[in-house]
Amino acid sequence: MRTAATATVLATCALLTLAGCDNDDPVPPAPDAGTRPDAGTGQDAGTQSDAGTEPDAGSVQGPIVTGSTPAEGEQNVVPVELFVAGTTSAARKRVTLTFDTPMDASASQVTRIDQTTPANAPRVLSGTWSEDALTLTVDIPRPESDLPPLEEESRYTLDLAGLRSGEGQPVDTSHAGLGDGRLDFTTGRRDAAMEHACAHALLERPRPVTASASPTVYPATDAPHAFYALTLPSSGASFVGYTEVVSGDGRDEPVVLYLDHAVPVAVHDMTEGEVAVASALEPARSVCVPAITHTLKFTAPGGDRFLRLTFGPTERETFHFVFERY
């Protein structure tokens, strides 16, 4: 990089060349040293801008990660995600990284490093850039047909050293959001029940059911392992409907509805009057989003009890869920 001092010297040389400094004409004597500014009074390299103060390649900030899934340092990350591949389900782990500036779409490789088991060789993975070159999606496949994409309860790192901005800058390794230019996360345990429900939601044709508009007569939606497409009657500006679940004649049964939307559901035991049954609507683990995004959990009391499920009010007329009792 040219400094201001260097630029001055070059400019002076250029002027002298134009004036004919390369010929043999005599040069007029310079003013006496006593009348010229000396090093003590003139501007010198110690006061001029130099390479240490001018912007250079070392001071230009590289691209930074503004968001990722999983997040930096996240714990209990789902190690296996399911998706449809042809007529069957397949496993992968998807990672996304979003940057603050458009990136070089020709550079899309990252390296997955197993911190828990260093004997496992690092894997180079190729991602796919979004159209605006701001988000990179990386799918981690199974290393072998009988192994999961990621192991349970293990620490992993995704090294982003191979990525660069559209201007050629490497990823900033000092930014507080990512730290060392690597995405670090730790997986949790797999969820066998969720994976089972995902298989139903991904591969089966749903059973169509229209909920009742009446709170006294309603269809059943309680077949184990059933995948339902439930349509709700309109109720003013929203939709509300009712279905029935009959409990077993023995023990209390945990029941889970695996939903593709956050639909409010109220549960009542209608066997002898109307008694509220505690239930919880929660975000589901991201095993097969968007096929399953939420779960509704409650305990059906044993003894052939008749339970009414009230869906809504909601803006959605039709949604899907897998019904399971355990």
Side-chain angles (χ1 to χ4, degrees):
M1 172 175 295
R2 293 181 180 178
T3 65
T6 303
T8 302
V9 171
L10 291 175
T12 302
C13 244
L15 289 172
L16 289 173
T17 300
L18 291 173
C21 71
D22 58 342
N23 60 26
D24 296 329
D25 293 338
V27 178
D32 182 78
T35 62
R36 291 189 304 173
D38 63 14
T41 60
Q43 196 174 43
D44 64 11
T47 59
Q48 289 184 326
S49 299
D50 61 16
T53 58
E54 287 188 345
D56 62 15
S59 64
V60 175
Q61 184 184 56
I64 62 175
V65 175
T66 58
S68 65
T69 304
E72 168 69 6
E74 185 174 341
Q75 306 287 315
N76 198 33
V77 173
V78 172
V80 176
E81 297 169 356
L82 302 180
F83 67 103
V84 176
T87 59
T88 186
S89 62
R92 69 183 174 204
K93 176 60 188 177
R94 173 163 286 183
V95 177
T96 60
L97 301 150
T98 300
F99 295 83
D100 68 331
T101 188
M103 303 291 284
D104 181 353
S106 69
S108 62
Q109 290 189 328
V110 299
T111 302
R112 191 225 67 182
I113 301 169
D114 188 337
Q115 301 284 9
T116 297
T117 311
N120 291 335
R123 298 179 65 192
V124 177
L125 305 165
S126 294
T128 302
W129 286 104
S130 59
E131 187 174 346
D132 59 9
L134 289 175
T135 300
L136 181 69
T137 299
V138 180
D139 285 338
I140 303 174
R142 293 179 181 269
E144 298 179 22
S145 60
D146 59 341
L147 295 177
L150 298 177
E151 295 293 341
E152 297 177 290
E153 299 179 319
S154 297
R155 293 183 297 110
Y156 288 96
T157 290
L158 222 59
D159 191 337
L160 313 182
L163 305 180
R164 57 183 180 268
S165 71
E167 298 177 348
Q169 293 294 329
V171 176
D172 182 10
T173 59
S174 63
H175 181 62
L178 200 57
D180 55 1
R182 298 181 170 195
L183 175 64
D184 302 297
F185 59 90
T186 303
T187 58
R189 296 192 63 82
R190 294 176 65 171
D191 189 331
M194 178 66 72
E195 291 181 20
H196 174 85
C198 283
H200 289 298
L202 291 171
L203 301 177
E204 294 181 6
R205 185 184 297 276
R207 304 184 187 185
V209 174
T210 300
S212 174
S214 167
T216 57
V217 180
Y218 22 78
T221 54
D222 59 357
H225 314 297
F227 179 42
Y228 291 103
L230 187 65
T231 300
L232 303 180
S234 62
S235 177
S238 59
F239 298 91
V240 177
Y242 306 90
T243 71
E244 182 178 67
V245 170
V246 179
S247 69
D249 59 2
R251 62 178 178 83
D252 293 353
E253 294 178 320
V255 172
V256 183
L257 274 62
Y258 297 88
L259 300 137
D260 68 348
H261 283 88
V263 179
V265 184
V267 184
H268 291 86
D269 186 343
M270 304 298 292
T271 311
E272 299 148 358
E274 183 174 326
V275 179
V277 175
S279 62
L281 179 66
E282 303 170 343
R285 296 190 74 194
S286 57
V287 176
C288 60
V289 174
I292 295 175
T293 63
H294 290 77
T295 58
L296 176 83
K297 300 179 180 180
F298 63 91
T299 298
D304 288 326
R305 310 294 292 185
F306 298 93
L307 308 180
R308 184 188 70 200
L309 274 57
T310 304
F311 296 90
T314 176
E315 296 179 353
R316 299 197 64 85
E317 181 180 11
T318 300
F319 58 93
H320 301 80
F321 65 88
V322 175
F323 182 90
E324 296 285 2
R325 58 174 85 213
Y326 298 100

